[in-house]
Amino acid sequence: MLKKIIPLEKTKLQRFPITKDKTLKAWNAADEHLLEWINENPLKQDDKSLIINDQFGALSCSLSEFQPTYWTDSYLSKTAIQNNLNANSLNQKLQHINQCEQQLAGGIKFDWVIIRIPKHNSLLSFQLKSLLPFIHRDTVILSAGMSKDIHKSNLKLFESIIGKTTTSLAKKKARLIFSKFDHLTTQSLNQNLLIDSACQFQIKQSGLNVIGLPGVFSRDSLDIGSNVLLQYMPETKASQKLLDLGCGTGVLGTIAAKQNPKLEVTFTDESWLAVESAKMTFQENISQIPLTKVTDVLDGLTNNHYDHILCNPPFHQQNVQTLSIANRMFKESSKKLKNSGELRIVANRHLKYKPMLNQYFSQVQVISKDPKFVVWLAKKPKR
Ligand SMILES: C[S@@+](CC[C@H](N)C(=O)[O-])C[C@H]1O[C@@H](n2cnc3c(N)ncnc32)[C@H](O)[C@@H]1O
C-alpha cells in the first residue's frame, strides 16, 4: 500500500498531561508549517526519517506511515506521542531514541531529519552534532519554530555544524529553516559526544562539582531558588531515604548526600539528560551510583518509604505557565513519604502553592526569610 502523509485535521491529538484547558492545543503553527512543506515536497516511499523534539505527536502521527524514528529527551513528549499514535490507531511501533550513538543501528543514514527547534541552544547543538554520522549529502534537514524563538544564534549553529542554512518567510508567526549538509566527509561516531557536551561548575560553599548536560535546567550555574533551598536542607539520619524530585543536574540530592554519605538518594526527572546529569554529578562527588528514574512526577515509583523529598518545582511546560505539574508533585509526594516524612520545596513568592500543599499535608509552614523565594516545609501527609 502506498504510504501517505496523514493530514493534521484528520488526527485527534491531546497534550500530555491531558488538560481541560481548550485553548491549549497539542500542535502549533510550526508543526502546521512543517507538514504543509512536506506535503508539497513529500518523502519517497522508502525514505528513512528522523523526527526530533516532536512535542505531542503532531509530526510523528502525520508521518507515521513512513515509520519515522523519533528522538525526544522528554518523557512527557514520548508519552504524548505514544498516546496519540494509539488513540488514532496509527503505526504504534515507531522507534523512540533519547541519544543517537548507542541507540541507532550502525550504518543507518536518514534521508529526512525534521526538527522542532528546542528552547536551549546547548541541546540543539548536541542534537545537530549527534546527527552527523547518520546523514548523507542529500538528507533533507528541515526545522521549524515560532519566529520569536528562532534567533541568529540558532541559525549560526546550523551553519557551523550542518552547512548552508536559509529560512522561509513567517507564516502564522512560524518559520522554517532549511540546512544542507555540505561537509566533505560524513563524520564518524563520537561515543564521547555526551561527555564533551557537558559543562561543569563548582558551588563554592560546599565544594560540589555539578555536571550539566545539554538542555538541562541551570546546567551551567546554580539556580537562585535552589541556592535558597540549600540553606534550609533537612538534617538527615544515616540510612534515611531522600528523593530529589525534578532533579535537573542533581544538585539538591547530591549536597544532601555530601552532608550524609549514608543517605540513600533517588533522582527523578522527566528528562533523560537531566537524570543522566544527576547521575554524573552524584558519581563525581560521592563516588557511588544513585537510584534514578525517568518518569512523569513519581509515576512507577512503588516505594512509599521516603523520609525526605526535595523539590524546586517547574512552573512551565514548554512555553506554557502551569501550576498543575507542581500540584501533582505535592500530591504524589504526600503518598510516597512515610508518615513522619517531610517535603521541602522552594518557590517564587508569587506562586500560590499554599492551598495546594494544604490539600495534601496537615502541617505546612514557611521556613525561609528570603524576600524573593519561599521555602515551604510540609509534614504529616494526608492519606
Ligand atoms: C526548576 S527545575 C529544578 C531542577 C533542579 N532540582 C534544581 O534545583 O536545579 C524543575 C525540573 O523539573 C523537571 N520536570 C518538569 N516536569 C516534570 C514532570 N512532569 N515530572 C518530573 N520532572 C519534571 C524539569 O525537567 C526540571 O529539571
Side-chain angles (χ1 to χ4, degrees):
M1 233 181 39
L2 221 58
K3 297 174 195 163
K4 52 188 187 329
I5 298 163
I6 300 163
L8 252 188
E9 54 281 10
K10 292 237 164 107
T11 53
K12 230 175 134 200
L13 300 175
Q14 277 199 312
R15 297 169 74 95
F16 183 83
I18 292 172
T19 168
K20 289 186 190 129
D21 184 346
K22 296 264 183 284
T23 62
L24 295 178
K25 299 253 180 298
W27 70 94
N28 68 10
D31 296 310
E32 288 175 341
H33 207 163
L34 275 171
L35 289 168
E36 272 169 30
W37 194 89
I38 298 170
N39 247 319
E40 285 158 18
N41 307 272
L43 285 75
K44 294 195 207 78
Q45 291 293 302
D46 293 326
D47 275 356
K48 291 191 176 55
S49 54
L50 173 66
I51 299 173
I52 306 182
N53 307 326
D54 191 7
Q55 292 183 331
F56 300 105
L59 303 171
S60 309
C61 286
S62 285
L63 298 174
S64 57
E65 291 194 3
F66 295 87
Q67 279 208 292
T69 298
Y70 65 100
W71 175 1
T72 171
D73 178 57
S74 159
Y75 181 91
L76 299 181
S77 294
K78 181 188 171 211
T79 309
I81 293 168
Q82 281 178 339
N83 289 352
N84 284 321
L85 286 167
N86 286 343
N88 290 280
S89 307
L90 298 170
N91 190 338
Q92 287 137 34
K93 294 197 193 91
L94 305 188
Q95 185 192 6
H96 165 252
I97 58 167
N98 49 50
Q99 265 188 53
C100 285
E101 298 79 27
Q102 283 91 19
Q103 296 171 352
L104 287 175
I108 187 171
K109 298 276 179 195
F110 292 106
D111 306 295
W112 282 74
V113 179
I114 300 157
I115 308 175
R116 283 292 315 263
I117 303 291
K119 203 159 114 201
H120 297 281
N121 262 348
S122 59
L123 183 57
L124 179 63
S125 167
F126 169 65
Q127 291 179 324
L128 294 180
K129 286 178 186 161
S130 300
L131 277 184
L132 294 177
F134 304 101
I135 53 178
H136 54 76
R137 293 182 65 81
D138 294 321
T139 301
V140 179
I141 300 170
L142 177 65
S143 312
M146 299 309 290
S147 303
K148 67 177 173 39
D149 302 324
I150 297 180
H151 308 286
K152 273 196 186 138
S153 59
N154 303 125
L155 303 179
K156 268 194 190 151
L157 282 179
F158 279 101
E159 285 275 355
S160 64
I161 300 170
I162 303 289
K164 191 170 166 40
T165 295
T166 54
T167 59
S168 73
L169 292 175
K171 209 182 219 178
K172 291 200 205 161
K173 300 187 181 156
R175 270 164 79 194
L176 298 178
I177 301 172
F178 307 93
S179 300
K180 178 93 187 103
F181 182 48
D182 61 11
H183 292 294
L184 289 178
T185 53
T186 54
Q187 305 246 327
S188 53
L189 271 183
N190 174 2
Q191 296 288 358
N192 291 328
L193 185 59
L194 190 62
I195 312 275
D196 294 348
S197 310
C199 52
Q200 195 161 346
F201 67 93
Q202 196 179 53
I203 302 177
K204 289 226 172 66
Q205 299 90 312
S206 57
L208 195 84
N209 288 320
V210 182
I211 299 177
L213 290 174
V216 174
F217 175 83
S218 239
R219 77 180 205 120
D220 51 10
S221 61
L222 181 62
D223 172 60
I224 33 178
S226 315
N227 191 25
V228 174
L229 181 49
L230 289 179
Q231 295 158 41
Y232 299 91
M233 292 291 270
E235 273 181 29
T236 59
K237 300 196 183 84
S239 310
Q240 279 194 327
K241 295 180 172 55
L242 178 142
L243 186 75
D244 184 343
L245 168 57
C247 59
T249 56
V251 55
L252 301 174
T254 309
I255 292 221
K258 230 180 158 189
Q259 291 164 353
N260 170 8
K262 289 213 172 127
L263 197 63
E264 182 190 291
V265 178
T266 304
F267 293 105
T268 67
D269 201 289
E270 73 93 29
S271 148
W272 270 269
L273 287 167
V275 167
E276 207 51 44
S277 281
K279 223 188 262 174
M280 287 166 134
T281 301
F282 196 83
Q283 282 175 298
E284 167 85 11
N285 294 279
I286 313 290
S287 307
Q288 285 171 30
I289 299 174
L291 300 166
T292 57
K293 191 162 181 76
V294 179
T295 189
D296 176 23
V297 184
L298 295 174
D299 274 9
L301 253 84
T302 47
N303 292 322
N304 45 8
H305 61 191
Y306 295 98
D307 300 283
H308 300 280
I309 299 182
L310 302 177
C311 184
N312 177 359
F315 55 98
H316 285 98
Q317 185 182 6
Q318 277 135 21
N319 290 331
V320 179
Q321 259 212 19
T322 172
L323 295 187
S324 75
I325 296 176
N327 186 48
R328 281 192 303 123
M329 286 181 160
F330 306 157
K331 182 176 179 185
E332 295 309 311
S333 292
S334 73
K335 294 184 191 157
K336 302 289 177 210
L337 281 166
K338 286 180 178 168
N339 286 334
S340 58
E342 301 179 346
L343 166 68
R344 276 173 177 72
I345 64 158
V346 63
N348 257 296
R349 268 190 189 271
H350 72 270
L351 293 168
K352 307 236 172 322
Y353 287 161
K354 185 155 197 312
M356 284 159 47
L357 286 163
N358 279 335
Q359 246 185 297
Y360 311 116
F361 292 88
S362 300
Q363 257 189 36
V364 176
Q365 63 185 116
V366 173
I367 54 168
S368 60
K369 293 201 181 91
D370 192 88
K372 222 175 141 207
F373 291 93
V374 189
V375 177
W376 297 97
L377 171 60
K379 293 190 204 178
K380 302 212 165 119
K382 294 180 184 170
R383 311 279 185 195

